[in-house]
């Protein structure tokens, strides 16, 4: 059974090329196109596509905000970001908004088909260049968690064990009593 796809990009020639590429696949059917995020949200409401291939930066409502709105209203709809942006912030924002995949526009056409197909099967997909960004971000979060745990450990140690009393300490038993 073919999965229905909505294409969202502000460049009409690019959208037509995507439509041609994806329509050639036996298991994919492009059912609509939108040129901005606001139109995309409306078309998802009208057409109920299985997958939305979403540009990230567009005039008006961008792909990040459109993804948030679509996922909030139609959580069964899968979003695949297709963007020229490989910067950490764009990737992070799209994934936080609910995208299941992130593919760079510089990728070969077969990578887009592979990514859409992976998402169709319930898996996530990231372009190889994006994978490095996500892994480095994960490593950063691990190291910051480790620093936090060390600080917590130091605090816990002071609560469980009495402090070391220096030799120069003056004992004042009368004050303690």
């Amino acid at each position: 059974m073919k999965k229905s796809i909505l294409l969202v990009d502000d460049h009409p020639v690019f959208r037509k090329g995507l439509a041609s590429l994806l329509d050639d696949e036996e298991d994919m059917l492009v059912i609509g196109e939108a040129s901005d995020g606001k139109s995309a949200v409306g078309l998802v409401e009208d057409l109920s596509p299985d997958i939305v291939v979403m540009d990230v930066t567009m005039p008006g409502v961008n792909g990040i905000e459109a993804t948030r709105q679509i996922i909030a209203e139609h959580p069964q709809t899968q979003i695949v970001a297709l963007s020229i942006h490989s910067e950490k912030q764009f990737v992070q924002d799209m994934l936080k908004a609910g995208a299941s995949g992130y593919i760079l526009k510089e990728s070969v056409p077969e990578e887009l088909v592979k990514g859409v197909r992976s998402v169709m099967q319930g898996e996530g997909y990231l372009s190889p260049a994006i994978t490095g960004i996500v892994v480095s971000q994960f490593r950063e979060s691990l190291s910051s968690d480790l620093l936090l745990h060390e600080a917590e450990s130091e605090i816990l140690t002071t609560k469980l064990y009495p402090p070391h009393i220096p030799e120069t300490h003056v004992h004042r038993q009368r004050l303690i009593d």
Side-chain angles (χ1 to χ4, degrees), residues 128-159:
I130 299 303
T131 304
I133 293 169
V134 172
V135 169
S136 70
Q137 185 176 349
F138 179 72
R139 285 183 180 152
E140 286 174 16
S141 72
L142 284 179
S143 65
S144 67
D145 286 350
L146 181 61
L147 291 174
L148 179 61
H149 291 306
E150 287 175 3
E152 290 171 344
S153 176
E154 289 175 15
I155 291 171
L156 188 59
T157 300
T158 65
K159 300 298 181 189

Side-chain angles (χ1 to χ4, degrees), residues 1-7 17-32 49-53 80 103 109-121 125:
M1 182 174 167
K2 290 188 175 197
K3 294 285 187 169
S4 58
I5 300 173
L6 173 66
L7 301 176
L18 288 176
S20 177
L21 173 70
L22 297 176
D23 274 339
D24 284 346
E25 299 299 315
E26 292 179 4
D27 54 347
M28 299 179 196
L29 175 65
V30 176
I31 60 169
D50 297 309
I51 296 177
V52 177
V53 176
V80 176
I103 301 170
E110 294 79 17
E111 186 176 345
L112 175 64
V113 172
K114 179 181 177 184
V116 169
R117 195 164 279 129
S118 291
V119 170
M120 286 170 42
Q121 296 169 353
Y125 186 85

